Every structure is written in structure tokens, then in C-alpha cells.
């Protein structure tokens, strides 16, 4: 199939960007969205043009690198998938597709579709951990955890830190991301000791980075490629109030 | 030069404890006077950085991704082994050790593997304490499952995302140390050279992938945790960024590269769908617990799988290996799939696939249980292929997955270059000629949390503090100028072909001539053709843009340049090793029934190669493998 691409091109964080038109011809429905971009880039290089910069690595939907707003939706139209797992059979011959970077003050554009998400790392560095040193940990089965709790903690821990929640929120709020980590650790006995400090420190770090507030519209949940539930935002709010 | 593995004396089960009791220690107050450079933030690099910083060392850590959380360890699905014997099914440190040695086809170093099995139990304790949400039984205790190459259930898992959760555990420990200021983290950077001063590794040259700026970093030791080289085949299950550059450039600075021909082919990947294919996706090996592998008994049978009755299906693994069945090790399962496909029994487009069928498990356990065990994997399969694996069997085919070769290290995980430590997949030490499932995560974390932090202290105590060289040293200047020269050269060629086109050409040649099966003819052909591709690359590659910006083509060009030299080394190693073992199958060396035929008299050694220049034959060194506790036996999974 043949597609028309409208791609955000921006040389670096200082220069202004603009939408540029490209044709993607002979696209196979079995290609992933990124493989379609690979083909377009190969043609651009042969023509002597600068290929479109985009972030990617595992291409299995787990590393969280790939991040493209596709027709205004983070990771494109399908629920529960990352851009690298979006396949071209989702589109129709003749479609026009808009490709833009994540949009948020806390995620400045570095080039084309690549943004700087290091704000997420700094939020984790503020408290998204259990302060246990290596060695000397007690036997793992000395701490039984109800299956139900472990499963819900696992659901929260599944967050891949891609930033789709921020990109799809009109306030660029990081509440879903932060709530996932806070909930993961708050639901487990290991996380109890530091739980009050953790939530305060992470929320403060989130505010400092320039993420906006949550107004409960849950675009984040709709956009999340890992189906992180908005219920965790409730847990975050509860933990914050209790702290 | 002789290779001294520095294996401590004494009985196998006491070596590590005795070693730890007698190594030199660094006074806690002096630890901050040492700087350690770590390359990579996967399970090995992340856990090592966090642990070394906890101990008090100054740590500088580098990764090429935008965040240390994205290292490729995150993609591991199935699980991590540990000799906990929680299932009371007869597991023990010795049994895990034995399974791992046997799985590696008796080509791994006994003492290292025993130590790995010993510390495996601590890893689980450590990860649980960090909050890793492993799967639990209803009683609240940890759940286990079985994996290929073992007859006990010793694999701990977190749904199909075990690598992710373990990595996030290491990342959280690392993040804590970054927050405390004990680790200086440099994301979006790439190590482009190693600096060796007076024979010791003393620093690295780093390229900032956003600004293109080259910087130099001096340290008292360098730790490479940069993963494997499977992307030499272009198509593999590795992340696109995984590369050989850090280890290869260290090799060019004098570190020996050991057993590069040991590449593991994983049996359960989604088959290739077309020329556009950029990478292959693995379906966790854990699927083989409940999925049954089969092909039609009739060649070229294109019927819908549901229409093929039981009596016309060949469950070839269950037939050939009745005791291990679908859980036989990866090299055996992969080769068997190739055999049936080559013989014309393969299914799907092009006949390069076999069925992995869950229908009998769904009948026995119900769809709900299967969904609970493998739900996300099924979803991923459907996303990629457009087929629903609850209704039709998955189609799978082997693909390059893990590389057991790597830089040669001794028992201390130190290369032949003093001060250069190599951990995780980047070293060669623990997996022999084949890696069993759930053992890579184990090695990464064992090295990073529990082995390196001891052994590096021993080295640093010997060297003494206050010896960090100045970055004004001539070796830094030379390495920096070499790096700039290579960058300028790549940018100035302005040829007609893209970097990817060279990578694909090399990859196809490697897969066809040095893939699941190799022989003298195919390897000699590859050794003739690789230098030709390399010559053309340096005359006709087109790298757009400049070196002073975010330039993904330039990043790839540097890595492909390394693969074009490294591929030759891999084929040379495969040609030299005239036997079959694990993931290295020379068709000239097989039993009557097609099983791999080892030659223990001639090849019971690790081969370590010493760089002698581009196109020049490297010097071969051998470390004889001594088996004091295990009798070498023909590997049988029947």
C-alpha cells in the first residue's frame, strides 16, 4: 500500500521544527510501523537527505524507547501496544499519517521525533526504590506475600516508562507513571518502611520537573501501551495524603 | 603468553568461600579514592554500578540508551534459575552446576559455573528484598517453573517479563546511588575506545550521542558490561542498538576475544515475514512447558493445522527425546526444527516454520490458566502475525539469540589486560558452547551483585589508590585522535550505499555460512567474502550529516564497521574448532543420528584470539579446560 506521511522535522532543541511531507510506497501490511520508517529512511539516505531520527531499541514492546505521536495518539490507534508493535495492517492504502514527537515541557525535543525523557529518571532517583544494600538479604520465602498483592504490584510494575501518559495528557501530567511506581512498592511489604518519604519525594520531584497536574480525564490510561490502570492514581493520592 | 585462569585451589565447593576469605580488601575510607568506569546498564552493568557505589567507590556509568532502564536485559521473558529447592524436587547447587556444565556441552570453566550456582540463591533473595514482584503461590511463597535442559522446577519468574522486573530492580538500586551522588550516570553515550597505559586499562573515550562531543575519562579500572554481539547476523532477537563495539575495541587494544563462534540459536522465535524484517521476536522458552512442537508427517502439507489429525502429526521432539521432550536444550530443539524444515516438512510461508501448539494444554487446563501463564506472549504473537494463538498454533523458527563467546576473563572476571573487567554476556566464561534458558539473567546479576564487587577490590588493593592517570596522558590523546579520524573518514566517503545495506549483506552471509550449521566450505567462503564487503564499505558507504549532532547513521556506521571485522574473527574461530558442540555445529562432525560430535581430545579448551591488525590472522591462545569434578560425557537428553 501507499501512504502519505507528514513528519515533524526539527534539527535540534534550539531550532524551530516543521511538518514535512514524505511518500511511503509499497508498504507491506506485515511491516511494523518502525520498519516502514526504516524503508523511508533508506530511501532518504540514498537521495542524500537526512533520515528521520526516531527512538527505538528492542522492537518487542518492552524497552519503552519508541515514542511517536501517530495521528495525534501516543503509539498510534491501537490500545495496549507500543509503536514498535503497531503493524501496518492497521492502516489502509492511501492513508495520511501524522508523525510527531511527544509533546511536553518536561520532554524537550532533541531531534525530529526524539525527545529527552530523563525527567522520568530523576523522579525515580528521588525515591522510586527500596533502600536495600546488596548482600545480606533474608531468604526470599521468609517474606510471604499474598498472590493477589504480588499480582497487583506486578501490574503496576509493568510500566515501561515510555511517557505516553504524559504525551497524551493535556496537562502533560506524569501522575500515571509516578503512581505506577508508588503503587508497586506501596503494595509490597518491602516498600512499607520508606513509603511516606517515597511518595513525598517522588511527587515533589515530579512537580519540579514541570509535569502538570492531573484533572482526572484519564487520557493517560487510554494511551498506555501496558494497560496501567488509573486506579493506581487513586493509590498515589491516598499515599500522598497519608504521608 | 599463557592464559592463567587463576582458579583457586581446593575442593570445588569451597573455592569461592576460601577465595573471599583471603582476598585483599580496600579500606572503606579509601574506596572513594578509586574511580571505576562501567560500560552498560543491563543486569550486569546496572547491578555492578549500584553495588560498587554502595561499597563506596566512585562510579562513572555509561549507556547508549536514553535511560539506564532500557538496557536489553529488559526484554528477557521467561525467568531466572536459582538452586533454592523450594519445590522439594531434588534441586541443589551441585545439580544446577551440573545441568549448566552439561547444557554448555562441557566447554565452560568448572569453577566459574559452580560459583554461579552457589550465588544463584542470593540473587533471588536480593531481588525480592528490592521489591521485584516475582510470581507467588496462593500461600504467599514464590512460584517456580521448569525450563529447557532441566528436570527440576528452579526457574523464578515475573509473568513473561522477568528480565524487565529484574532490570527495574537493578535500575532502582542504581537510581538510588545516582540520587545519592555516588554514581555519575551518562546516558546517550557510547564507548568508542579503551585507553591502556602500561598494560593496564585506565580509561575510555566516549562519544556523546546527542552533541557528538568526544570526552575522555580516566579510572582505576574499567568494567565492560556491554552485552553480546548477536547483531553481527543483522537479524537476531537482540535490540537494534546491541553491538560489539565496546568489546571489539577492547580486543583491538589487547584484550583476548574467546570463543566467538559460540552463538546460541533460540528455537522459539516468530518466523521472518519479508525483506523489510528488521529484527526477530522471541517467544519465551517457557512456552515449551505447555506448548507441543510438531510438523505434519506429510511433506508440503498445507492443510489448516486443525484439519490435520493427531495420527498425521509428527511431535518430533517428543519422539526423539522422550525424557526431555519439548524441554530439550535450545541447540537441540533449534537443530531439530531446521532438520524438519530442510526436509520439506516446515509450515507457513516459505516452509520455514514449525507449530508450537497449545490446544492440548488449553483442553487440559482451560484457556484461563494458559492466559494467566503466557497471556502477554500470546498477545504479542497476535500483534506481530495477525493470528490468534489460542485458536491456531503458533508458528516458530529458530533465530540468533545469545552469544556465549566474549572477552576472555579469569576467575576474577578480569581480562588478560589488568584493570579491564568483563561481566555478563560480554565475557565468555559461564555458558560454554550453549546457554540454557534462564541462565543469562542469573549470570548477569551474579557477576554484578556478588562476584565483581569482591574481585575488583582485590585488584584495586594491589594497584593502590592515587594512581588514576591524568587524561592529558599521551595514550588518551592518541585514542581520542584515532576516534576523530575514524569519524571523519566515515563521514567523508559519501558513497552510494547505506550502512544498513552493508549490515544486511554481512548478516545474510553470516547466517547462511556460519549459522545453525557450518562446514569448512561455507566458512572459507565467508572468510573470502567478508573482507570484500568490508573493502566496499570503506569505499562506498554513505553516512549523511555531521559528527557534531545526533546522527543515528553515524552511530550505526561505527558499529557496522566493527561487525565487519568481528564477523571474520567469528568465522575463523568456527573454522578452527573442528568439532561440534552446543551452538557450534560443524556438519562434518556429527553422530550417525545427527547429534553433535565433540572431540574432547583436541578441543577441550577455550580459544582466545589476540588481535594482530585488520585482515591479519589473529594469534590463537588456548585455555585448557580441566574437569576435576565432572566426567566428560556425551550429552544425551533422550
Amino acid at each position: 500500500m501507499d501512504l502519505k506521511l507528514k513528519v515533524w522535522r526539527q534539527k535540534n532543541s534550539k531550532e524551530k521544527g516543521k511538518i514535512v511531507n514524505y511518500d511511503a510506497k509499497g508498504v507491506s501490511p506485515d511491516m511494523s510501523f518502525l520498519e516502514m520508517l526504516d524503508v523511508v529512511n533508506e530511501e532518504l539516505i540514498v537521495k542524500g537527505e537526512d533520515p528521520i531520527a526516531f527512538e527505538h531499541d528492542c522492537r518487542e514492546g518492552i524497552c519503552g524507547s519508541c515514542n511517536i505521536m501517530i495521528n495525534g495518539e501516543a503509539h498510534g490507534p491501537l490500545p495496549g501496544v507500543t509503536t514498535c508493535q503497531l503493524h501496518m495492517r492497521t492502516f489502509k492504502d492511501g492513508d495520511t499519517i501524522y508523525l510527531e514527537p511527544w509533546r511536553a515541557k518536561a520532554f524537550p525535543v532533541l531531534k525530529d521525533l526524539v525527545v529527552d525523557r530523563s525527567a522520568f529518571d530523576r523522579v525515580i532517583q528521588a525515591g522510586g526504590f527500596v533502600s536495600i544494600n546488596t548482600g545480606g538479604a533474608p531468604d526470599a520465602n521468609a517474606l510471604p506475600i499474598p498472590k493477589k498483592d504480588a499480582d497487583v504490584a506486578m501490574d503496576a510494575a509493568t510500566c515501561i516508562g515510555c511517557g505516553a501518559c504524559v504525551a497524551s495528557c493535556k496537562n502533560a501530567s506524569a501522575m500515571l507513571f509516578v503512581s505506577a511506581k508508588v503503587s508497586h512498592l506501596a503494595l509490597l511489604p518491602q516498600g512499607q518502611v520508606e513509603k511516606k518519604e517515597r511518595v513525598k519525594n517522588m511527587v515533589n520531584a515530579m512537580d519540579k520537573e514541570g509535569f502538570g497536574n492531573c484533572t482526572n480525564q484519564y487520557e493517560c490510561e487510554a494511551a498506555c501501551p501496558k494497560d496501567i490502570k488509573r486506579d493506581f492514581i487513586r493509590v498515589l493520592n491516598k499515599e500522598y495524603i497519608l504521608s | 603468553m599463557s592464559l592463567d585462569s587463576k582458579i583457586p585451589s581446593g575442593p570445588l565447593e569451597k573455592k569461592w568461600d576460601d577465595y573471599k576469605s583471603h582476598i585483599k580488601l580496600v579500606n572503606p575510607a579509601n574506596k572513594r579514592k578509586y574511580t571505576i568506569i562501567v560500560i552498560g546498564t543491563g543486569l550486569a552493568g546496572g547491578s555492578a554500578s549500584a553495588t560498587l557505589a554502595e561499597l563506596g567507590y566512585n562510579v562513572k556509568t555509561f549507556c547508549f540508551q536514553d535511560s539506564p532502564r532500557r538496557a536489553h536485559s529488559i526484554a528477557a521473558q521467561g525467568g531466572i534459575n536459582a538452586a533454592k529447592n523450594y519445590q522439594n524436587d531434588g534441586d541443589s547447587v551441585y545439580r544446577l552446576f551440573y545441568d549448566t556444565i552439561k547444557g554448555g556441552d562441557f566447554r565452560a570453566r568448572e569453577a566459574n559455573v559452580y560459583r554461579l550456582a552457589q550465588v544463584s540463591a542470593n540473587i533471588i533473595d536480593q531481588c525480592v528484598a528490592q521489591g521485584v514482584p516475582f510470581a507467588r503461590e496462593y500461600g504467599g511463597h514464590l512460584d517456580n517453573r521448569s525450563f529447557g535442559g532441566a528436570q527440576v522446577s528452579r526457574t523464578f519468574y515475573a509473568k513473561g517479563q522477568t528480565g524487565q522486573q529484574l532490570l527495574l530492580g537493578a535500575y532502582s538500586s542504581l537510581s538510588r546511588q545516582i540520587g545519592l551522588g555516588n554514581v555519575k550516570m551518562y546516558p546517550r553515550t557510547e564507548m568508542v575506545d579503551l585507553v591502556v597505559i602500561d598494560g593496564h586499562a585506565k580509561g575510555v573515550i566516549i562519544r556523546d550521542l546527542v552533541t557528538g562531543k568526544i570526552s575522555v575519562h580516566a579510572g582505576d579500572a574499567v568494567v565492560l558490561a556491554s552485552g553480546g554481539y548477536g547483531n553481527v547476523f543483522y537479524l537476531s532477537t537482540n535490540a537494534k542498538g546491541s553491538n560489539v563495539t565496546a568489546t571489539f575495541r577492547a580486543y583491538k587494544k589487547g584484550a583476548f576475544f574467546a570463543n566467538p563462534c559460540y552463538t546460541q540459536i533460540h528455537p522459539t522465535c516468530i518466523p521472518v515475514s519479508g525483506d523489510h524484517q528488521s529484527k526477530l521476536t522471541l517467544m519465551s522458552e517457557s512456552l515449551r512447558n505447555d506448548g507441543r512442537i510438531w510438523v505434519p508427517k506429510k511433506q508440503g502439507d498445507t492443510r489448516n493445522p486443525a484439519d490435520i489429525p493427531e495420527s498425521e502429526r509428527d511431535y518430533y521432539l517428543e519422539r526423539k527425546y522422550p525424557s526431555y521432550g519439548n524441554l530439550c536444550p535450545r541447540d537441540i530443539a533449534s537443530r531439530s526444527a531446521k532438520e524438519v524444515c530442510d526436509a520439506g516438512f516446515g509450515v507457513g510461508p516459505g516452509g520455514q516454520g514449525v507449530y508450537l501448539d497449545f490446544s492440548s494444554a488449553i483442553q487440559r487446563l482451560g484457556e484461563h490458566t494458559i492466559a494467566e501463564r503466557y497471556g502477554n506472549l500470546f498477545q504479542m504473537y497476535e500483534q506481530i502475525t495477525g493470528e490468534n494463538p489460542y485458536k491456531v498454533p503458533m508458528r516458530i523458527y529458530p533465530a540468533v539469540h545469545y552469544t556465549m563467546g566474549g572477552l576472555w576473563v579469569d576467575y576474577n572476571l578480569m581480562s588478560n589486560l589488568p584493570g579491564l573487567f568483563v561481566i555478563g554476556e560480554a565475557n565468555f566464561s559461564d555458558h560454554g558452547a550453549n546457554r540454557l534458558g534462564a541462565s543469562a539473567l542469573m549470570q548477569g546479576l551474579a557477576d554484578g551483585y556478588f562476584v565483581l564487587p569482591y574481585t575488583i577490590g582485590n585488584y584495586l588493593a594491589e594497584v593502590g589508590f592515587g594512581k588514576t592517570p591524568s587524561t592529558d596522558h599521551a595514550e588518551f590523546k592518541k585514542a581520542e585522535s584515532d576516534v576523530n579520524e575514524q569519524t571523519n573518514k566515515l563521514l567523508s566517503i559519501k558513497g552510494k550505499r547505506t550502512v544498513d545495506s552493508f549490515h544486511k549483506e554481512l548478516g545474510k552471509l553470516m547466517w547462511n555460512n556460519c549459522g545453525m550449521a557450518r562446514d569448512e566450505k561455507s566458512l572459507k567462503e565467508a572468510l573470502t567474502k567478508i573482507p570484500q564487503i568490508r573493502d566496499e564499505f570503506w569505499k562506498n558507504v554513505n553516512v549523511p550529516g555531521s559528527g557534531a549532532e545526533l546522527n543515528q547513521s553515524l552511530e550505526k556506521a561505527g558499529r557496522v564497521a566493527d561487525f565487519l571485522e568481528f564477523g571474520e574473527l567469528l568465522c575463523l574461530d568456527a573454522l578452527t574448532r573442528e568439532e561440534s558442540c552446543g551452538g557450534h555445529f560443524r556438519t562434518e562432525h556429527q553422530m550417525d543420528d545427527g547429534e553433535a560430535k565433540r572431540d574432547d581430545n583436541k578441543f577441550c579448551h577455550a580459544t582466545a584470539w589476540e588481535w594482530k591488525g585488520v585482515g591479519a590472522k589473529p594469534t590463537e591462545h588456548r585455555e585448557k579446560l580441566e574437569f576435576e569434578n565432572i566426567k566428560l560425557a556425551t550429552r544425551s537428553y533422550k
Side-chain angles (χ1 to χ4, degrees), chain B residues 559-570:
Chain B
R559 294 166 188 169
V560 171
D562 292 333
F563 279 133
L564 283 166
E565 290 174 11
F566 172 72
E568 194 177 2
L569 179 70
L570 198 160

Side-chain angles (χ1 to χ4, degrees), chain A:
Chain A
M1 55 187 162
D2 295 337
L3 303 164
K4 296 221 170 291
L5 304 184
K6 289 179 174 287
V7 185
W8 183 261
R9 301 302 307 263
Q10 184 172 343
K11 200 164 168 42
N12 54 45
S13 53
K14 292 186 188 77
E15 293 189 28
K16 273 192 166 176
K18 61 173 183 186
I19 293 280
V20 179
N21 297 327
Y22 297 97
D23 287 322
K25 289 189 173 150
V27 173
S28 150
D30 287 330
M31 285 179 181
S32 71
F33 198 84
L34 300 185
E35 284 167 344
M36 181 275 294
L37 274 180
D38 289 341
V39 172
V40 170
N41 273 344
E42 288 289 284
E43 285 170 11
L44 288 178
I45 296 170
V46 170
K47 280 198 280 184
E49 292 179 37
D50 198 23
I52 301 158
F54 63 93
E55 192 116 50
H56 66 101
D57 200 14
C58 79
R59 297 201 176 192
E60 290 184 18
I62 192 75
C63 77
S65 293
C66 59
N67 52 330
I68 305 178
M69 293 301 279
I70 299 166
N71 291 336
E73 294 181 276
H75 297 297
L78 294 184
V81 296
T82 53
T83 303
C84 67
Q85 293 295 293
L86 176 68
H87 283 68
M88 298 313 291
R89 66 179 75 90
T90 313
F91 299 91
K92 293 192 305 292
D93 187 37
D95 275 358
T96 297
I97 308 175
Y98 281 81
L99 288 81
E100 296 164 90
W102 278 179
R103 289 169 290 191
K105 190 176 135 202
F107 291 163
V109 174
L110 294 176
K111 183 176 180 178
D112 299 341
L113 305 172
V114 180
V115 301
D116 178 1
R117 286 170 289 186
S118 51
F120 269 11
D121 287 317
R122 290 188 291 274
V123 171
I124 298 290
Q125 287 153 20
F129 44 75
V130 174
S131 297
I132 168 95
N133 278 358
T134 310
D139 183 88
N141 260 354
L143 190 70
I145 299 172
K147 180 174 171 8
K148 192 167 75 46
D149 294 354
D151 285 351
V152 181
M154 176 68 206
D155 289 343
T158 301
C159 168
I160 58 174
C162 65
C165 47
V166 172
S168 58
C169 173
K170 65 178 184 184
N171 297 335
S173 167
M175 285 287 272
L176 194 67
F177 169 77
V178 176
S179 74
K181 185 48 65 182
V182 165
S183 303
H184 159 211
L185 296 174
L187 286 162
L188 295 172
Q190 301 93 312
Q192 297 310 304
V193 176
E194 296 170 293
K195 114 177 170 161
K196 289 186 177 173
E197 286 306 306
R198 176 181 306 115
V199 69
K200 275 192 287 195
N201 291 339
M202 289 184 76
V203 168
N204 289 343
M206 171 179 89
D207 291 343
K208 205 175 122 201
E209 293 292 341
F211 292 108
N213 292 321
C214 173
T215 46
N216 302 309
Q217 290 185 332
Y218 309 127
E219 291 292 338
C220 51
E221 184 189 51
C224 177
K226 292 292 153 189
D227 292 326
I228 305 292
K229 299 294 174 216
R230 64 191 189 207
D231 281 3
F232 295 126
I233 298 180
R234 181 181 54 77
V235 177
L236 172 65
N237 285 330
K238 187 186 101 185
E239 294 294 331
Y240 189 68
I241 291 164
L242 288 174
S243 74

Side-chain angles (χ1 to χ4, degrees), chain B residues 94-123:
Chain B
Y94 185 84
R95 197 179 286 277
L96 174 54
F97 155 71
Y98 183 78
D99 284 348
T100 309
I101 286 276
K102 178 184 168 193
D105 223 345
F106 305 92
R107 290 292 176 264
R109 194 188 282 147
E110 238 188 20
N112 286 54
V113 179
Y114 194 86
R115 175 174 66 189
L116 175 69
Q118 270 178 309
V119 302
S120 65
N122 301 66
I123 297 172

Side-chain angles (χ1 to χ4, degrees), chain B residues 237-516:
Chain B
T237 65
N238 288 7
K240 293 292 282 177
S242 301
N243 62 82
V244 78
T245 289
T247 47
F248 196 70
R249 298 202 179 167
Y251 164 67
K252 288 171 95 167
K253 280 294 172 79
F256 293 171
F257 215 114
N259 300 341
C261 77
Y262 290 168
T263 53
Q264 182 176 73
I265 315 289
H266 195 289
T268 52
C269 295
I270 301 178
V272 174
S273 71
D275 284 342
H276 58 263
Q277 193 95 27
S278 62
K279 74 153 289 183
L280 296 169
T281 301
L282 172 85
M283 293 275 95
S284 166
E285 182 171 15
S286 64
L287 293 170
R288 291 200 276 151
N289 273 309
D290 287 307
R292 297 179 70 198
I293 293 171
W294 64 276
V295 288
K297 276 187 180 167
K298 202 173 80 190
Q299 283 173 337
D301 190 338
T302 52
R303 278 180 293 173
N304 186 324
D307 297 337
I308 302 177
E310 279 291 313
S311 59
E312 292 175 43
R313 298 175 176 193
D314 178 14
Y315 295 91
Y316 57 88
L317 288 178
E318 297 170 35
R319 169 170 60 78
K320 285 160 64 180
Y321 306 98
S323 39
Y324 282 76
N326 294 298
L327 284 176
C328 65
R330 292 176 174 179
D331 62 312
I332 288 174
S334 297
R335 230 169 9 252
S336 301
K338 182 178 191 295
E339 270 167 28
V340 293
C341 292
D342 287 352
F345 297 97
V347 298
Q352 297 292 300
V354 300
Y355 288 126
L356 177 62
D357 193 344
F358 288 86
S359 54
S360 59
I362 289 172
Q363 265 175 15
R364 192 175 73 244
L365 303 163
E367 197 169 306
H368 175 75
T369 307
I370 294 299
E372 193 157 69
R373 285 184 190 168
Y374 314 108
N376 62 315
L377 301 172
F378 276 43
Q379 209 182 356
M380 187 161 85
Y381 181 86
E382 185 170 5
Q383 198 57 47
I384 293 171
T385 62
E387 290 174 359
N388 178 352
Y390 293 102
K391 306 285 175 224
V392 286
M394 288 182 178
R395 283 177 297 110
I396 53 164
Y397 195 70
V400 174
H401 180 51
Y402 187 91
T403 53
M404 288 74 72
L407 293 182
W408 183 89
V409 289
D410 62 17
Y411 189 73
N412 300 302
L413 304 181
M414 189 162 83
S415 72
N416 57 302
L417 287 180
L420 179 68
F421 291 80
V422 193
I423 60 176
E425 191 180 357
N427 78 24
F428 89 109
S429 70
D430 289 8
H431 305 299
N434 182 50
R435 182 179 74 80
L436 290 181
S439 63
L441 305 186
M442 178 170 64
Q443 190 209 346
L445 291 179
D447 288 359
Y449 282 136
F450 298 112
V451 180
L452 179 81
Y454 289 94
T455 63
I456 203 169
N458 190 42
Y459 168 77
L460 293 172
E462 269 178 18
V463 174
F465 59 86
K467 306 276 176 61
T468 324
S470 156
T471 50
D472 291 333
H473 193 283
E475 288 297 332
F476 277 96
K477 298 284 172 209
K478 185 177 176 313
E480 189 182 359
S481 103
D482 289 349
V483 164
N484 284 323
E485 195 184 315
Q486 164 147 336
T487 304
N488 293 337
K489 197 172 166 194
L490 286 168
L491 289 165
S492 67
I493 298 167
K494 298 283 175 238
K496 295 210 167 10
R497 284 182 60 183
T498 64
V499 174
D500 269 359
S501 77
F502 283 102
H503 196 175
K504 281 185 185 178
E505 187 183 355
L506 172 72
K508 207 171 254 178
L509 180 69
M510 293 298 295
W511 178 245
N512 289 336
N513 291 36
C514 193
M516 259 190 284

